[in-house]
Structure formats: C-alpha cells, structure tokens
Amino acid sequence: MTDGTSTGSPTDPQEVAAAEPMAPSAAAPKGASVQRSSAILAAGTLVSRVLGFVKSVLLAVVIGNTGSQAAAAFGLANQLPNNVYILVAGGVMSAVLVPAIVKASLGSDNGQAFVSKILTLGATVFVLLTIVATVAAPWLVDLYATTSDDGRGYSSEQVALAVAFAYWCLPQILFYALYTLIGEVFNARGEFGPFTWAPVVNNVVSIAGLVVFLALFGNEEVNRDLAVWTEDRIALLGGVATLGVAVQALVLIVLFRRTGLRFRLDFGWRGVGLRATGQRAGWLFGVVLIGQIKGIVQSRVVTMGDPDGANVFTMQNAWYVFSLPHSIIAVSIAIAFFTRMSHHASRSDLAGIRTDVSSALRGVGMLTTISALVLAIVAVPFFRLFDPTVDLALQSSIVLWAMLVCLVAFSAEYVLQRVYFALEDTRTPFIYSLFGMVVTFGLLWACTMLPGMWIVAGASLAVSIANLISCTAWIWLVRRKIGAFGFRLVAVRHVQYLGFALVAAVPGAAIVWGLGGYRDGGFGTSGMVPALVTTCLAGAAMAVVYFGLLFVTRNPDFRSTLDLVLARFTGRRRSVSEDAAPRQD
C-alpha cells in the first residue's frame, strides 16, 4: 500500500506527491518562511481533509456505501483516472521535476523557457493519454473488475454502469496532470499555498454538486437501484466528480503569475534536459508500477465480493478513514525529520540519521497507536454516517478493523522508507517491492476462497498482513543500512503506548456502549447526528485519558512530538528535538 495505489487508495494527487521523496532543501525558503510555509501546508491539508470527509459522507448519502451496487460501480470508475495517472507519472513527477526546475531557475531567464517546454510537453502527452484512456474505458473497467452474473463479480448491468461513469471520470487524468505539473512549478519556486489549497476548492465544488444531485434525484434509498441510473443521473454525478478536479487545476492556472514566470507554448522539446534526472527516478517508477500491479489484482479480488455486502466503495471509504491519522500525523512528522535526515545524509552523518529515525518512529507511534484504538472503538457509530442501517455499518466497520491492524506499522514503514530516500537510494525499495508483491499476491489469492460476504474484509486484512511483514523487513533493511538505531527503545515505547491506549479504550467503549452505539435502536446508531455525537464523546474521552497518562508519566516523547505537530500547524519557530542518542540494539 505504501508503494503505489490500490483499490482503497486516495484519489487526490496531492496525497501521492506528499508520499514521494523530494529534494527537501531544493527550493525551501529559509528562516521564518520555513515555518510559515509549513503552517500553510498543514492548514490547507487539514481543511482539505475535513471538507473531503464531508464530501465522502454526502456521496454515501447520495449513492449508498456498503450493499449498494451503484456505489460499487461509481467507486471503480472514479478510481480509474487516478490509477492511470499514477501509473504514468504519479510520484515520479515530483522527484524529477522539482530538482530540474530549481536547476533551470539558476539560468539567465529564471527558468522560464524550461518551464514553458515542460508544461507544453506534459500537457500534450496527457491530452493524448486522456483521449486514449477515455476511448478504452470498457477495457479498463474489464481490467480492474471481475465480471460474473453468478454473484462472484460485477453483473453485466453493473459493468455497463461503471463504463458509463468511466467515460465521464477518465478526463480527470488531464486535470490531475495539469494540477501536478503546475503545482510542482509553484513548489519549486517556493510558493506552496496554491498547490495545497486548490483541493479545498475541489471539495467545495463537489459538495455543491452533490447537494444539487440530492435535490434533483434523491438519496441512496432511490439511487442504490441500478435501474434508476439514466443518462442524466450518470452525467451529473460523473460530471461533478470531474468538474471538481478541473477547477482544482484551474486555480493554479489562474494564479500561475505568482510564480514570477510567464507561460507560452513551446514545442521545442529536444534537449529539454530531463534524461539524466529521469534515469535517477527510474527505480522509483518501478516501485509505482509494482504498486499499480498489486492494485489491479486487489481490485479484481475485491470486485468478487457479495453485491449486497462490502464493496469497492466501502473499501475506499474505509481507506479514507484509515489514512486520516497517517496523512495528518505521520506525514507531518516524517516530512520534518526527512529534511533533517537529508541534511545528515549530505554530510555522511549516519549517527544523526539514526537519532532522527528513532525519534520519528517513537513520535509517529505515540500518535498512531491511540488513533487506531479510537477508530476501532467508534467504528460502528461512525459508519452510520455512511450507511443507513446498523448491519451495513457493522460490515463497513469490519473492513476498517482489518485495515487498522497495520496502521502503526504502515506509518512506521513510511518513516523507514525515508531513510533510503534521504540517502538517494531508490534501488533497494524497488527490489524489496518485488518481494512484497509476491507476498501480497499470495495473501490475496487466499481471499478468493472466502465466502463472498467476507472477501472485501479478507482482502483488507491480507494487505494489512502484507504491510506488517513489509514493516518488519524495512526495520531490518534500515538497520543494515545505517546500523543499530535503538529499536529496543522504540519497541519498549510502543508497548507503553499500547498499554495507555488500552486503558483509554475502556471509557471510550463504555461511552459508545452506554449510548447504544453497538446495537440497533440505540441512540448512537439512531441517526447521523447521534452517531456523530457518540463518536466525538468517545474519542474525546479516550484522548483525555491517553494524553493524560503520557503527561503524568512524563513520557519524554510526548512534549517533543506535540511541539513538532503544533509547529507545523502554527508556523512557530522551533527545532526538532535532539533527543538523547538512542540505545543500541
């Protein structure tokens, strides 16, 4: 899951870019502007996440979630443009373009000619790719979906609806590409705000469009039925999804002059100078390619699920919830430490890298451990926001529970991979990805033997197990690369975090139970507002107990990690805590 997209992966290229290695100091502003840029990035990400969550809930209200064949068809179709885009350029683009643009900026024209060539080249390539992919919509749907009329795959009616949605959704490829291409120019020029806040506009447009759909065509009670999906319904829902991405790209086009550059069409691509940089990013492209192959296999397995149970769309929503603590917490901490590790790597200071790895793992683990327990405790009432009945919410919760098994390990692996990226070694991640692919394939194959009702949950658990194995392997790889980094201390702290989280789970579970959050007819599952109230009360109680225990026991990671996260959101100047040198294994 960390090496590419999957059935449940996000559809926002901003997330993809955030997960890939970049030259952190290539165009980084200095002094106080570093903190200001960090605050802008963090605030934009947080607002985008909140609005994205509202959009996801509203979409489930419109087309349903678990047990909705229409939602499954839309979920598959709307994921296709992201998959195609990532396969061609996702992740690799930031690794290639930012250093090249920064280098070109040193020229007499401030990089204007180079940027014009790159944007013209990229736009041309992706216009052609979008046309080809849109024409090939039926074949792409057939590639990602297992089809069958016996209940072990998409029915012919469901496939037809998915193809119809795909024709409307696949043009997103071009807009994703333009957003990323122009966004990398902004980033390379030190203008981080537009790239970070443009997805907010996307979410606002999508929410408005879904409200219009709801007013015209009703909610999921009507739209679950495949028979009601006429051309006008399909055009409005698919058009809204694509319009949001188009506006996201348009925001950057309108604000392009803030980069200090002017764009003009330039088809003189010979000698553009990306060959050497592209060769260095070749291994990274290999990692992305392997991730996409795994995603295709996972999608084909998931689409074998019971049509009345959890489906592709369920998995995407569960993944979105799963990824919230990772993207807000783990990525924020990892970015801060990745910058430090890159500086240490430039000076061949392995001791500094070891200290940073240990500190980052402890900080990330401290926050993701409680996040996993909170999400597990509140899952059933929480999914009442997406599903109309407790039974369906329980099925969605099982999928999330299967994913949460690996949340701590998933975020830890993200940190560990940054060690290799800081040391500019992308070959090792590629070679390991081949091993990870074999493991994932074996586990997913086993899922095909499960009853249809359990296939989606089984596939989620299979990927979680693969990630646990992967994290274990990455610990060994990193230790082999930089030496002992204090894993014993990291393990002891994680046991402490788990103990505190289990104590905090007691009042959280008691609140959910007392409010009827685990049974049909209870207050916590009686509607969307009661479910939200139950979720918030339980989550708040768990947070107070957990962080109270950390404070009372004077956990040394608590204050330093809290300062680091707050600094990212407030822009307050501070240095990453230089924790004491970790103990050796």
Side-chain angles (χ1 to χ4, degrees), residues 119-252:
L119 293 181
T120 305
L121 173 61
T124 302
V125 169
F126 280 101
V127 164
L128 295 175
L129 177 64
T130 301
I131 293 172
V132 172
T134 303
V135 171
W139 291 275
L140 287 173
V141 169
D142 188 58
L143 176 65
Y144 279 86
T146 297
T147 57
S148 172
D149 287 315
D150 63 0
R152 294 284 287 188
Y154 277 27
S155 65
S156 55
E157 294 83 2
Q158 202 171 8
V159 169
L161 181 58
V163 171
F165 277 132
Y167 281 124
W168 282 96
C169 294
L170 281 166
Q172 294 173 23
I173 295 171
L174 174 61
F175 302 121
Y176 278 141
L178 291 176
Y179 166 74
T180 308
L181 277 167
I182 301 172
E184 296 301 356
V185 177
F186 274 93
N187 289 342
R189 303 288 293 179
E191 290 282 344
F192 302 103
F195 181 71
T196 306
W197 284 86
V200 173
V201 182
N202 176 351
N203 287 325
V204 170
V205 170
S206 297
I207 290 171
L210 289 172
V211 170
V212 172
F213 188 99
L214 190 62
L216 292 177
F217 299 116
N219 62 12
E220 55 85 24
E221 292 182 5
V222 176
N223 296 317
R224 281 175 175 268
D225 186 0
L226 293 176
V228 306
W229 284 93
T230 52
E231 292 182 0
D232 50 351
R233 270 183 165 86
I234 295 170
L236 181 55
L237 186 60
V240 164
T242 298
L243 179 62
V245 183
V247 172
Q248 177 175 293
L250 182 62
V251 168
L252 298 191

Side-chain angles (χ1 to χ4, degrees), residues 30-63:
K30 298 181 179 180
S33 60
V34 173
Q35 281 69 36
R36 178 177 175 273
S37 298
S38 180
I40 290 173
L41 287 165
T45 300
L46 183 60
V47 173
S48 180
R49 291 291 182 183
V50 172
L51 291 177
F53 173 72
V54 173
K55 180 181 71 174
S56 297
V57 171
L58 190 55
L59 184 58
V61 170
V62 168
I63 62 174

Side-chain angles (χ1 to χ4, degrees), residues 4 16 56 80 132 169 193-194 196 199 226 229 248 259 294 298 324 370 388 439 477 480 518 521 533-534 546 555 574:
V16 178
S56 297
L80 289 177
V132 172
C169 294
T196 306
L226 293 176
W229 284 93
Q248 177 175 293
T259 64
K294 288 162 59 178
Q298 181 181 331
L324 284 174
I370 185 60
V439 172
L477 288 170
R480 185 168 174 266
Y518 295 133
V533 170
T534 302
Y546 181 76
N555 184 282
R574 68 175 303 280

Side-chain angles (χ1 to χ4, degrees), residues 389-410:
T389 68
V390 177
D391 289 341
L392 293 176
L394 179 59
Q395 291 187 53
S396 299
S397 299
I398 293 172
V399 176
L400 178 61
W401 288 333
M403 292 181 179
L404 289 174
V405 169
C406 77
L407 176 58
V408 175
F410 181 83

Side-chain angles (χ1 to χ4, degrees), residues 1-7 9 83 86-87 144 284-298 433-434 437 440-441:
M1 289 163 71
T2 55
D3 54 4
T5 189
S6 68
T7 302
S9 63
N83 290 344
I86 291 176
L87 180 61
Y144 279 86
L284 181 58
F285 175 77
V287 173
V288 173
L289 178 61
I290 289 172
Q292 285 298 299
I293 295 173
K294 288 162 59 178
I296 292 172
V297 174
Q298 181 181 331
S433 292
L434 294 172
M437 180 173 66
T440 303
F441 283 174

Side-chain angles (χ1 to χ4, degrees), residues 503-516:
V503 172
V506 174
I511 290 173
V512 176
W513 181 273
L515 293 176

Side-chain angles (χ1 to χ4, degrees), residues 256-271:
F256 185 75
R257 288 199 174 190
R258 290 185 58 176
T259 64
L261 302 174
R262 290 190 176 185
F263 168 73
R264 65 178 182 84
L265 288 174
D266 188 345
F267 293 93
W269 301 330
R270 186 176 181 82

